[in-house]
Amino acid sequence: MEIKTLTLQGSAGQSDILIGRGLLSEAAARCLSVFSPSRVHIVSDSIVAPLYLEQLKGQFQLPVTATVLPAGEEHKRLSAVETIYHDLLAAGMTRKDLVIALGGGVVGDITGFAASSFLRGVPLCQIPTTLLAQVDSSVGGKTGVDLPEGKNLVGAFYQPRLVLIDPNVLSTLPPETYADGMAEVIKYGCIANRALLDQIGHDDIENIVYECVKIKRDVVQQDEHDTGLRMILNFGHTIGHACEKLENYVGLTHGQAVAVGMVAAMRLSNALGAPEDLSGPLADILQANGLPTVLTHDREAVFNALLSDKKKFGSTVNFILVRDLGKAEIVPVEAERLHELLLKI
Ligand SMILES: NC(=O)c1ccc[n+]([C@@H]2O[C@H](COP(=O)([O-])OP(=O)(O)OC[C@H]3O[C@@H](n4cnc5c(N)ncnc54)[C@H](O)[C@@H]3O)[C@@H](O)[C@H]2O)c1
Ligand SMILES: [Zn+2]
């Protein structure tokens, strides 16, 4: 089995990220080469657990317990974290033992937060099972849950010591969920590696995941706590989040909203100095990957939703522009100017 490895040097230690087909089948051995637990607790969800939990559990010759959360973003809340704490205590987990997150970004975020806070921090391994979680959420140490007031409002930075990425598990993903992850893949191409955009649809997904994780690792390593550069990962997300909010998070998936947001951001980039309008070629790639490209929402409503987002600072919005494919810039744009431009694009 060919395994690619990347390491992220975080402020609190190193995170090893392994990528390879079939890695799930040797996950326990990989964990035991890094951790020395007396017991293991796995957190998964009601869709992923029937598919992969037994396969993982059966590899350990140690006591293994599990929490299976109901699947879905609506369960990414504090009560899920509390459920995990109770299960960890019931299992007799100590600070030497290992917590594994087996699932998509929702399971990863909840479990990461539980691991960061249980006994003030227990060792964590992420085994991401969606494309989005493999290229984005499992790497970089952001963990947390939603509150009724908004998404991701409570959380912590907590790097997993180990991330095991097995692209084989993507074979069971519903096409829409796979497409959501492709939106983030395309995002990486736009902001940091234009060659990646040519790779999509031609190269093995394993190589594509590797290129994406490498970009995320590099960005996080330079700005672990999200005070500057890490913002470029939000390309397409400012308008995307506004659309998601307008749809009450049910009409559009995150990837679909980001896709529409990226095309709009590309048009804005052109209006703000990009020599070429790259929105056409971007829309073609998105469409070929089952993603929407047209911003259908009322522009006034988008503008208002965007301004209420946490990323605004006074009267300027830090906007991520791509004026040259493969390079992102953080550009403060006056709210009034943005308003004007949004009505034109
Ligand atoms: N921490 C970060 O840096 C970060 C970054 C981006 C997104 N996120 C968070 O990630 C979450 C979204 O993650 P997601 O898109 O993975 O959603 P998800 O975890 O809800 O997974 C999507 C669906 O796919 C199912 N699933 C997962 N793996 C599967 C598999 N291999 N086969 C079949 N079904 C499978 C899940 O049960 C779920 O129903 C959001 O809560 C978002 O806030 C976090
Ligand atoms: Zn995203």
Side-chain angles (χ1 to χ4, degrees):
M1 184 188 309
E2 199 213 331
I3 306 287
K4 295 190 169 89
T5 305
L6 289 162
T7 54
L8 192 162
Q9 215 58 56
S11 53
Q14 177 177 317
S15 195
D16 294 341
I17 307 156
L18 275 51
I19 302 161
R21 289 191 179 275
L23 204 44
L24 181 64
S25 65
E26 50 177 70
R30 296 286 174 176
C31 283
L32 296 178
S33 71
V34 173
F35 305 101
S36 313
S38 307
R39 54 186 69 242
V40 176
H41 189 82
I42 304 167
V43 181
S44 192
D45 75 23
S46 52
I47 293 175
V48 178
L51 295 167
Y52 303 110
L53 181 60
E54 285 312 314
Q55 188 189 345
L56 177 59
K57 249 179 149 177
Q59 293 171 39
F60 288 96
Q61 262 115 45
L62 297 166
V64 184
T65 44
T67 301
V68 178
L69 301 168
E73 178 77 30
E74 65 274 26
H75 300 288
K76 192 173 129 176
R77 52 189 190 205
L78 282 168
S79 59
V81 178
E82 203 177 342
T83 299
I84 297 172
Y85 294 151
H86 292 307
D87 289 354
L88 293 172
L89 285 170
M93 295 280 287
T94 70
R95 293 185 61 190
K96 282 186 163 172
D97 297 325
L98 171 64
V99 173
I100 300 178
L102 173 72
V106 167
V107 164
D109 279 12
I110 299 170
T111 311
F113 186 49
S116 77
S117 47
F118 182 70
L119 305 177
R120 299 197 177 80
V122 290
L124 171 68
C125 168
Q126 290 273 5
I127 306 185
T129 61
T130 62
L131 182 55
L132 179 137
Q134 296 197 344
V135 299
D136 192 353
S137 61
S138 67
V139 174
K142 277 193 189 176
T143 73
V145 295
D146 304 334
L147 291 180
E149 289 88 341
K151 278 185 54 129
N152 298 321
L153 289 175
V154 179
F157 287 101
Y158 192 66
Q159 296 296 350
R161 173 69 185 81
L162 184 64
V163 184
L164 299 176
I165 299 177
D166 181 349
N168 283 352
V169 302
L170 303 178
S171 65
T172 50
L173 280 181
E176 194 180 70
T177 313
Y178 190 85
D180 270 344
M182 283 310 295
E184 304 290 349
V185 169
I186 294 165
K187 174 194 79 179
Y188 285 117
C190 292
I191 63 169
N193 180 357
R194 67 183 301 165
L196 182 58
L197 297 174
D198 302 323
Q199 242 172 298
I200 295 169
H202 300 105
D203 202 349
D204 192 315
I205 193 68
E206 183 179 352
N207 298 327
I208 290 172
V209 168
Y210 173 78
E211 291 301 328
C212 293
V213 171
K214 196 159 76 176
I215 294 167
K216 177 121 191 208
R217 189 275 314 263
D218 289 346
V219 171
V220 169
Q221 202 149 265
Q222 291 171 69
D223 179 22
E224 188 178 2
H225 297 123
D226 201 4
T227 57
L229 180 71
R230 195 160 171 171
M231 219 184 290
I232 67 168
L233 300 172
N234 280 329
F235 176 62
H237 283 59
T238 311
I239 291 174
H241 281 151
C243 296
E244 276 186 286
K245 201 184 281 181
L246 291 175
E247 297 276 342
N248 286 322
Y249 299 96
V250 288
L252 280 175
T253 65
H254 177 69
Q256 290 167 350
V258 169
V260 167
M262 285 194 290
V263 175
M266 216 47 123
R267 294 230 171 88
L268 282 174
S269 304
N270 184 222
L272 291 167
E276 255 181 280
D277 183 359
L278 299 166
S279 64
L282 171 60
D284 291 344
I285 300 172
L286 291 167
Q287 244 157 21
N289 285 278
L291 290 157
T293 58
V294 183
L295 181 60
T296 51
H297 296 85
D298 174 59
R299 304 305 154 95
E300 286 295 336
V302 170
F303 179 71
N304 290 329
L306 187 154
L307 273 199
S308 66
D309 205 38
K310 60 185 173 186
K311 277 163 215 92
K312 64 151 189 186
F313 297 100
S315 64
T316 54
V317 177
N318 275 325
F319 217 88
I320 315 306
L321 299 182
V322 170
R323 291 190 273 213
D324 184 7
L325 213 49
K327 273 191 214 133
E329 298 163 74
I330 305 165
V331 179
V333 182
E334 287 288 326
E336 249 171 67
R337 177 98 173 102
L338 187 61
H339 186 216
E340 212 176 279
L341 291 170
L342 264 179
L343 296 175
K344 282 193 207 145
I345 58 163

PDB file of all heavy atoms in Angstrom, residues 295-315:
ATOM      1  N   LEU A 295     -25.959  32.695  -9.028  1.00  0.00           N
ATOM      2  CA  LEU A 295     -26.477  33.343  -7.813  1.00  0.00           C
ATOM      3  C   LEU A 295     -27.898  33.816  -8.109  1.00  0.00           C
ATOM      4  O   LEU A 295     -28.107  34.781  -8.837  1.00  0.00           O
ATOM      5  CB  LEU A 295     -25.567  34.531  -7.462  1.00  0.00           C
ATOM      6  CG  LEU A 295     -25.897  35.347  -6.220  1.00  0.00           C
ATOM      7  CD1 LEU A 295     -25.859  34.499  -4.969  1.00  0.00           C
ATOM      8  CD2 LEU A 295     -24.903  36.500  -6.080  1.00  0.00           C
ATOM      9  N   THR A 296     -28.867  33.103  -7.536  1.00  0.00           N
ATOM     10  CA  THR A 296     -30.261  33.412  -7.877  1.00  0.00           C
ATOM     11  C   THR A 296     -30.917  34.301  -6.826  1.00  0.00           C
ATOM     12  O   THR A 296     -32.033  34.756  -7.004  1.00  0.00           O
ATOM     13  CB  THR A 296     -31.086  32.109  -7.982  1.00  0.00           C
ATOM     14  OG1 THR A 296     -30.866  31.353  -6.786  1.00  0.00           O
ATOM     15  CG2 THR A 296     -30.675  31.284  -9.191  1.00  0.00           C
ATOM     16  N   HIS A 297     -30.219  34.519  -5.721  1.00  0.00           N
ATOM     17  CA  HIS A 297     -30.845  35.267  -4.630  1.00  0.00           C
ATOM     18  C   HIS A 297     -30.869  36.766  -4.903  1.00  0.00           C
ATOM     19  O   HIS A 297     -30.017  37.294  -5.605  1.00  0.00           O
ATOM     20  CB  HIS A 297     -30.093  34.989  -3.324  1.00  0.00           C
ATOM     21  CG  HIS A 297     -30.177  33.559  -2.903  1.00  0.00           C
ATOM     22  ND1 HIS A 297     -29.316  32.606  -3.387  1.00  0.00           N
ATOM     23  CD2 HIS A 297     -31.038  32.929  -2.095  1.00  0.00           C
ATOM     24  CE1 HIS A 297     -29.638  31.436  -2.869  1.00  0.00           C
ATOM     25  NE2 HIS A 297     -30.683  31.597  -2.088  1.00  0.00           N
ATOM     26  N   ASP A 298     -31.809  37.399  -4.266  1.00  0.00           N
ATOM     27  CA  ASP A 298     -31.925  38.850  -4.341  1.00  0.00           C
ATOM     28  C   ASP A 298     -30.642  39.481  -3.769  1.00  0.00           C
ATOM     29  O   ASP A 298     -30.211  39.144  -2.666  1.00  0.00           O
ATOM     30  CB  ASP A 298     -33.152  39.279  -3.516  1.00  0.00           C
ATOM     31  CG  ASP A 298     -33.247  40.781  -3.433  1.00  0.00           C
ATOM     32  OD1 ASP A 298     -33.333  41.408  -4.501  1.00  0.00           O
ATOM     33  OD2 ASP A 298     -33.200  41.316  -2.304  1.00  0.00           O
ATOM     34  N   ARG A 299     -30.058  40.355  -4.568  1.00  0.00           N
ATOM     35  CA  ARG A 299     -28.734  40.903  -4.181  1.00  0.00           C
ATOM     36  C   ARG A 299     -28.777  41.729  -2.900  1.00  0.00           C
ATOM     37  O   ARG A 299     -27.826  41.728  -2.123  1.00  0.00           O
ATOM     38  CB  ARG A 299     -28.145  41.750  -5.319  1.00  0.00           C
ATOM     39  CG  ARG A 299     -28.032  41.007  -6.653  1.00  0.00           C
ATOM     40  CD  ARG A 299     -27.234  39.730  -6.489  1.00  0.00           C
ATOM     41  NE  ARG A 299     -27.607  38.755  -7.491  1.00  0.00           N
ATOM     42  CZ  ARG A 299     -26.991  38.562  -8.649  1.00  0.00           C
ATOM     43  NH1 ARG A 299     -25.952  39.275  -8.964  1.00  0.00           N
ATOM     44  NH2 ARG A 299     -27.409  37.645  -9.485  1.00  0.00           N
ATOM     45  N   GLU A 300     -29.871  42.447  -2.694  1.00  0.00           N
ATOM     46  CA  GLU A 300     -30.011  43.213  -1.440  1.00  0.00           C
ATOM     47  C   GLU A 300     -29.983  42.270  -0.241  1.00  0.00           C
ATOM     48  O   GLU A 300     -29.326  42.523   0.757  1.00  0.00           O
ATOM     49  CB  GLU A 300     -31.347  43.972  -1.408  1.00  0.00           C
ATOM     50  CG  GLU A 300     -31.430  45.179  -2.303  1.00  0.00           C
ATOM     51  CD  GLU A 300     -30.481  46.298  -1.901  1.00  0.00           C
ATOM     52  OE1 GLU A 300     -30.073  46.371  -0.719  1.00  0.00           O
ATOM     53  OE2 GLU A 300     -30.139  47.102  -2.790  1.00  0.00           O
ATOM     54  N   ALA A 301     -30.722  41.159  -0.394  1.00  0.00           N
ATOM     55  CA  ALA A 301     -30.811  40.192   0.704  1.00  0.00           C
ATOM     56  C   ALA A 301     -29.434  39.564   0.949  1.00  0.00           C
ATOM     57  O   ALA A 301     -29.020  39.362   2.095  1.00  0.00           O
ATOM     58  CB  ALA A 301     -31.849  39.122   0.377  1.00  0.00           C
ATOM     59  N   VAL A 302     -28.721  39.261  -0.139  1.00  0.00           N
ATOM     60  CA  VAL A 302     -27.380  38.680  -0.004  1.00  0.00           C
ATOM     61  C   VAL A 302     -26.473  39.667   0.731  1.00  0.00           C
ATOM     62  O   VAL A 302     -25.755  39.302   1.667  1.00  0.00           O
ATOM     63  CB  VAL A 302     -26.766  38.334  -1.389  1.00  0.00           C
ATOM     64  CG1 VAL A 302     -25.295  37.963  -1.262  1.00  0.00           C
ATOM     65  CG2 VAL A 302     -27.553  37.206  -2.056  1.00  0.00           C
ATOM     66  N   PHE A 303     -26.534  40.924   0.321  1.00  0.00           N
ATOM     67  CA  PHE A 303     -25.699  41.942   0.943  1.00  0.00           C
ATOM     68  C   PHE A 303     -25.984  42.046   2.449  1.00  0.00           C
ATOM     69  O   PHE A 303     -25.068  42.063   3.267  1.00  0.00           O
ATOM     70  CB  PHE A 303     -25.927  43.290   0.244  1.00  0.00           C
ATOM     71  CG  PHE A 303     -25.122  44.400   0.847  1.00  0.00           C
ATOM     72  CD1 PHE A 303     -23.739  44.461   0.678  1.00  0.00           C
ATOM     73  CD2 PHE A 303     -25.746  45.393   1.603  1.00  0.00           C
ATOM     74  CE1 PHE A 303     -22.992  45.481   1.247  1.00  0.00           C
ATOM     75  CE2 PHE A 303     -24.994  46.412   2.174  1.00  0.00           C
ATOM     76  CZ  PHE A 303     -23.616  46.457   1.990  1.00  0.00           C
ATOM     77  N   ASN A 304     -27.260  42.088   2.806  1.00  0.00           N
ATOM     78  CA  ASN A 304     -27.617  42.211   4.227  1.00  0.00           C
ATOM     79  C   ASN A 304     -27.186  40.994   5.032  1.00  0.00           C
ATOM     80  O   ASN A 304     -26.666  41.120   6.148  1.00  0.00           O
ATOM     81  CB  ASN A 304     -29.122  42.452   4.379  1.00  0.00           C
ATOM     82  CG  ASN A 304     -29.501  43.840   3.894  1.00  0.00           C
ATOM     83  OD1 ASN A 304     -28.698  44.777   3.991  1.00  0.00           O
ATOM     84  ND2 ASN A 304     -30.686  43.981   3.337  1.00  0.00           N
ATOM     85  N   ALA A 305     -27.370  39.824   4.444  1.00  0.00           N
ATOM     86  CA  ALA A 305     -26.968  38.593   5.144  1.00  0.00           C
ATOM     87  C   ALA A 305     -25.457  38.562   5.314  1.00  0.00           C
ATOM     88  O   ALA A 305     -24.929  38.142   6.349  1.00  0.00           O
ATOM     89  CB  ALA A 305     -27.438  37.371   4.357  1.00  0.00           C
ATOM     90  N   LEU A 306     -24.771  39.030   4.300  1.00  0.00           N
ATOM     91  CA  LEU A 306     -23.311  39.051   4.306  1.00  0.00           C
ATOM     92  C   LEU A 306     -22.771  39.990   5.381  1.00  0.00           C
ATOM     93  O   LEU A 306     -21.834  39.666   6.105  1.00  0.00           O
ATOM     94  CB  LEU A 306     -22.894  39.508   2.911  1.00  0.00           C
ATOM     95  CG  LEU A 306     -21.485  39.523   2.417  1.00  0.00           C
ATOM     96  CD1 LEU A 306     -21.525  39.387   0.906  1.00  0.00           C
ATOM     97  CD2 LEU A 306     -20.793  40.790   2.783  1.00  0.00           C
ATOM     98  N   LEU A 307     -23.420  41.149   5.519  1.00  0.00           N
ATOM     99  CA  LEU A 307     -22.972  42.119   6.528  1.00  0.00           C
ATOM    100  C   LEU A 307     -23.205  41.630   7.949  1.00  0.00           C
ATOM    101  O   LEU A 307     -22.488  42.006   8.862  1.00  0.00           O
ATOM    102  CB  LEU A 307     -23.688  43.456   6.336  1.00  0.00           C
ATOM    103  CG  LEU A 307     -23.067  44.431   5.367  1.00  0.00           C
ATOM    104  CD1 LEU A 307     -23.592  45.827   5.645  1.00  0.00           C
ATOM    105  CD2 LEU A 307     -21.546  44.445   5.418  1.00  0.00           C
ATOM    106  N   SER A 308     -24.194  40.767   8.138  1.00  0.00           N
ATOM    107  CA  SER A 308     -24.469  40.288   9.498  1.00  0.00           C
ATOM    108  C   SER A 308     -23.536  39.125   9.855  1.00  0.00           C
ATOM    109  O   SER A 308     -23.535  38.654  10.979  1.00  0.00           O
ATOM    110  CB  SER A 308     -25.930  39.868   9.627  1.00  0.00           C
ATOM    111  OG  SER A 308     -26.168  38.741   8.821  1.00  0.00           O
ATOM    112  N   ASP A 309     -22.722  38.693   8.892  1.00  0.00           N
ATOM    113  CA  ASP A 309     -21.783  37.601   9.122  1.00  0.00           C
ATOM    114  C   ASP A 309     -20.643  38.075  10.029  1.00  0.00           C
ATOM    115  O   ASP A 309     -20.331  39.245  10.075  1.00  0.00           O
ATOM    116  CB  ASP A 309     -21.222  37.136   7.766  1.00  0.00           C
ATOM    117  CG  ASP A 309     -20.752  35.700   7.804  1.00  0.00           C
ATOM    118  OD1 ASP A 309     -21.417  34.895   8.457  1.00  0.00           O
ATOM    119  OD2 ASP A 309     -19.714  35.397   7.200  1.00  0.00           O
ATOM    120  N   LYS A 310     -20.027  37.134  10.704  1.00  0.00           N
ATOM    121  CA  LYS A 310     -19.008  37.524  11.696  1.00  0.00           C
ATOM    122  C   LYS A 310     -17.726  38.090  11.081  1.00  0.00           C
ATOM    123  O   LYS A 310     -16.910  38.656  11.767  1.00  0.00           O
ATOM    124  CB  LYS A 310     -18.674  36.331  12.590  1.00  0.00           C
ATOM    125  CG  LYS A 310     -18.135  35.141  11.824  1.00  0.00           C
ATOM    126  CD  LYS A 310     -17.934  33.936  12.712  1.00  0.00           C
ATOM    127  CE  LYS A 310     -17.566  32.747  11.834  1.00  0.00           C
ATOM    128  NZ  LYS A 310     -17.470  31.497  12.491  1.00  0.00           N
ATOM    129  N   LYS A 311     -17.584  37.962   9.744  1.00  0.00           N
ATOM    130  CA  LYS A 311     -16.315  38.385   9.153  1.00  0.00           C
ATOM    131  C   LYS A 311     -16.245  39.859   8.767  1.00  0.00           C
ATOM    132  O   LYS A 311     -15.308  40.292   8.130  1.00  0.00           O
ATOM    133  CB  LYS A 311     -15.981  37.508   7.950  1.00  0.00           C
ATOM    134  CG  LYS A 311     -15.323  36.238   8.386  1.00  0.00           C
ATOM    135  CD  LYS A 311     -15.353  35.189   7.311  1.00  0.00           C
ATOM    136  CE  LYS A 311     -15.507  33.823   7.887  1.00  0.00           C
ATOM    137  NZ  LYS A 311     -16.905  33.378   7.994  1.00  0.00           N
ATOM    138  N   LYS A 312     -17.244  40.621   9.116  1.00  0.00           N
ATOM    139  CA  LYS A 312     -17.158  42.037   8.750  1.00  0.00           C
ATOM    140  C   LYS A 312     -16.442  42.832   9.851  1.00  0.00           C
ATOM    141  O   LYS A 312     -16.490  42.489  11.031  1.00  0.00           O
ATOM    142  CB  LYS A 312     -18.548  42.609   8.497  1.00  0.00           C
ATOM    143  CG  LYS A 312     -19.388  42.598   9.739  1.00  0.00           C
ATOM    144  CD  LYS A 312     -20.405  43.683   9.761  1.00  0.00           C
ATOM    145  CE  LYS A 312     -21.035  43.691  11.145  1.00  0.00           C
ATOM    146  NZ  LYS A 312     -22.104  44.553  11.356  1.00  0.00           N
ATOM    147  N   PHE A 313     -15.769  43.856   9.429  1.00  0.00           N
ATOM    148  CA  PHE A 313     -15.086  44.721  10.390  1.00  0.00           C
ATOM    149  C   PHE A 313     -15.498  46.149  10.099  1.00  0.00           C
ATOM    150  O   PHE A 313     -15.036  46.743   9.129  1.00  0.00           O
ATOM    151  CB  PHE A 313     -13.565  44.582  10.265  1.00  0.00           C
ATOM    152  CG  PHE A 313     -13.089  43.210  10.592  1.00  0.00           C
ATOM    153  CD1 PHE A 313     -12.787  42.302   9.582  1.00  0.00           C
ATOM    154  CD2 PHE A 313     -12.984  42.795  11.917  1.00  0.00           C
ATOM    155  CE1 PHE A 313     -12.373  41.017   9.889  1.00  0.00           C
ATOM    156  CE2 PHE A 313     -12.577  41.510  12.221  1.00  0.00           C
ATOM    157  CZ  PHE A 313     -12.269  40.623  11.209  1.00  0.00           C
ATOM    158  N   GLY A 314     -16.368  46.706  10.914  1.00  0.00           N
ATOM    159  CA  GLY A 314     -16.848  48.062  10.688  1.00  0.00           C
ATOM    160  C   GLY A 314     -17.502  48.169   9.327  1.00  0.00           C
ATOM    161  O   GLY A 314     -18.345  47.349   8.971  1.00  0.00           O
ATOM    162  N   SER A 315     -17.041  49.116   8.540  1.00  0.00           N
ATOM    163  CA  SER A 315     -17.703  49.334   7.258  1.00  0.00           C
ATOM    164  C   SER A 315     -16.974  48.627   6.115  1.00  0.00           C
ATOM    165  O   SER A 315     -17.307  48.805   4.964  1.00  0.00           O
ATOM    166  CB  SER A 315     -17.797  50.828   6.979  1.00  0.00           C
ATOM    167  OG  SER A 315     -16.484  51.332   6.862  1.00  0.00           O
TER     168      SER A 315
END
